Amino acid sequence: MDLEQLVASMPFAVHTGVQLDSATSEEVVGHLDWDNHRTTAGNGMHGGALMTLADSVGAVCAFLNLPPGAGTSTTSSSTVFTRGVRKGTVTATARPLHAGRSTIAIVTELRDDEGRLVAQVTASQAVLSQAVLGP
């Protein structure tokens, strides 16, 4: 799959403006631009928008680490927000922490235009066999 196909497989990511910049099993990079409709009180980028970016980029990383024919489903996600974003672009970089037969753990860092950490997200995903996924 190319980058556009990977994003297109996640309609919510498309709807919210998530873009992928690069994707390998070792590292996935994507971004989301600040926009007024993605803000909360105080004009900061909404935490839900940031989580959408992190979850989408992390999901692609997990997908690229799956065995053939398997699927994945998030089982947990933990976020530490470190600063607000009031302009520019947030870049997410996801890397596998663990890619096993039954679980995949992904760490995603979100950074602002100045390279400052905005949030860190650690997500765990179950590896689902074709039998669980169905036809």
Side-chain angles (χ1 to χ4, degrees), residues 13-108:
V14 172
H15 176 74
T16 55
V18 171
Q19 306 239 348
L20 287 180
D21 302 314
S22 62
T24 68
S25 60
E26 294 84 28
E27 180 179 273
V28 178
V29 179
H31 70 273
L32 184 64
D33 295 328
W34 182 96
D35 192 293
N36 190 49
H37 75 273
R38 295 185 185 116
T39 63
T40 187
N43 224 23
M45 191 178 277
H46 193 285
L50 294 168
M51 279 302 302
T52 297
L53 172 61
D55 188 61
S56 299
V57 172
V60 171
C61 189
F63 172 77
L64 293 175
N65 279 279
L66 286 171
T72 184
S73 179
T74 303
T75 57
S76 71
S77 184
S78 175
T79 304
V80 176
F81 292 103
T82 58
R83 73 174 50 251
V85 177
R86 290 178 175 73
K87 63 178 177 137
T89 299
V90 177
T91 300
T93 304
R95 295 181 182 97
L97 183 63
H98 167 77
R101 290 182 306 217
S102 59
T103 61
I104 297 174
I106 304 293
V107 174
T108 305

